Amino acid sequence: MEIKGQTAFVTGGASGLGEATARMMAAAGATVGVLDMNEELAQKVANELGGAAAVCDVSDAASHEAAMASLRQAIGPARIFIACAGIATGAKLVTRDGDPTPLDRLTKAIQVNLIGTINSLRLAAADMAGLAPLDDGERGVIVTTSSIAGFEGQIGQGDYSASKGGVAATALTFARELAREGIRVNCISPGLMDTPMMDGLPDEVRQSLIETTVYPKRLGHAGEYAALARHIAENRYINGTVIRLDGALRMAPR
Ligand SMILES: NC(=O)c1ccc[n+]([C@@H]2O[C@H](COP(=O)([O-])OP(=O)(O)OC[C@H]3O[C@@H](n4cnc5c(N)ncnc54)[C@H](O)[C@@H]3O)[C@@H](O)[C@H]2O)c1
């Protein structure tokens, strides 16, 4: 779809990949809605882009519904929806003391990254289905964010892998489900991207992951994610797929 003149909502739009995508969508001529837990940064990005912000916990039904309603009222429903909100977690099944890890430590990532994404998609899809069709009957386009950890998770990443594997697995399923409405669903699976999420990574881990990356030997830039999200929005024949964005990195077990 031509992005110019459309409304684009971005979850996690206050930081990192989501922020870069919000900026990219605005540069392409969209009116942008920023959904994020971080109210201050979300408002800052929205103000800079002439868009609107809504504070929201994507994993909470009522919070997400209210934020969508507020953005709908401010700038209209979205034809383009990019789901970037997410958290990085890590926990092994068994603690160092030999005890089973408390279940809530193992389900947090699934709650935010997977259930949060599904929560976003149900709300985005319902809005898009009510819009008039464009060329090729297209009503909307959705991009979700997995991770290469959803395919080759490292030791201690099982919870995060489960959440991101689920996001990747559902791209085709939801594309099939929403085809009748003319809504495309695709997923980007990033490798190691240089965003605030990576700030906590110890230097030696970061260096070893850069060494494992085939080419280019560096972290990915948020702008490279945003450029791919933009291309997916514009290219009507990309549907139901997961695209890796990782410099051919295949993570080792540890
Ligand atoms: N940076 C990487 O290397 C990398 C790699 C693979 C996948 N990812 C995924 O990309 C997405 C974006 O990550 P990023 O690197 O830009 O991180 P980031 O921390 O810079 O941005 C994430 C944003 O999501 C928001 N957020 C977190 N939980 C939320 C919730 N429950 N409701 C609403 N907003 C919430 C945060 O406030 C933040 O603004 C995440 O889903 C992450 O798992 C990142």
Side-chain angles (χ1 to χ4, degrees):
M1 109 181 23
E2 191 184 343
I3 294 172
K4 192 164 185 245
Q6 305 299 353
T7 296
F9 290 0
V10 185
T11 73
S15 173
L17 306 183
E19 178 187 353
T21 305
R23 293 186 186 282
M24 177 71 83
M25 289 294 156
T31 305
V32 174
V34 178
L35 295 133
D36 204 287
M37 271 178 100
N38 188 324
E39 189 171 9
E40 192 187 332
L41 283 183
Q43 198 59 62
K44 179 174 172 284
V45 173
N47 287 348
E48 283 174 26
L49 302 179
V55 65
C56 151
D57 175 354
V58 291
S59 67
D60 182 274
S63 164
H64 206 337
E65 283 162 22
M68 294 289 277
S70 127
L71 286 187
R72 258 197 317 269
Q73 199 176 20
I75 56 174
R79 272 201 196 273
I80 302 168
F81 193 99
I82 318 285
C84 286
I87 53 170
T89 56
K92 290 186 178 173
L93 295 171
V94 179
T95 68
R96 281 192 186 161
D97 297 333
D99 298 320
T101 298
L103 186 57
D104 57 353
R105 280 207 59 200
L106 292 166
T107 53
K108 177 79 178 153
I110 295 169
Q111 187 63 37
V112 174
N113 297 346
L114 178 55
I115 297 178
T117 298
I118 291 174
N119 195 21
S120 294
L121 264 58
R122 78 186 175 95
L123 300 172
D127 279 356
M128 288 173 186
L131 298 173
L134 306 169
D135 291 351
D136 272 350
E138 188 176 33
R139 285 192 169 80
V141 56
I142 294 169
V143 178
T144 59
T145 310
S146 175
S147 162
I148 60 169
F151 302 92
E152 62 262 5
Q154 296 194 293
I155 291 167
Q157 274 196 308
D159 54 337
Y160 185 73
S161 293
S163 72
K164 292 301 187 177
V167 171
T170 44
L172 177 61
T173 314
F174 290 138
R176 287 174 163 166
E177 179 179 327
L178 298 174
R180 210 180 47 176
E181 280 79 28
I183 300 167
R184 291 183 292 121
V185 183
N186 291 290
C187 175
I188 300 176
S189 182
L192 269 289
M193 309 297 286
D194 195 4
T195 70
M197 186 178 271
M198 287 296 109
D199 287 351
L201 211 60
D203 272 354
E204 62 277 13
V205 178
R206 173 187 287 246
Q207 208 42 50
S208 115
L209 286 164
I210 290 174
E211 284 308 315
T212 320
T213 306
V214 177
Y215 177 81
K217 280 205 181 291
R218 59 166 173 79
L219 300 184
H221 301 312
E224 290 166 332
Y225 175 99
L228 181 54
R230 175 182 178 161
H231 182 75
I232 290 170
E234 288 174 336
N235 191 326
R236 289 206 296 273
Y237 211 57
I238 300 180
N239 195 16
T241 199
V242 181
I243 302 177
R244 292 181 67 123
L245 182 72
D246 61 7
L249 169 63
R250 299 293 180 272
M251 291 195 295
R254 62 176 86 234

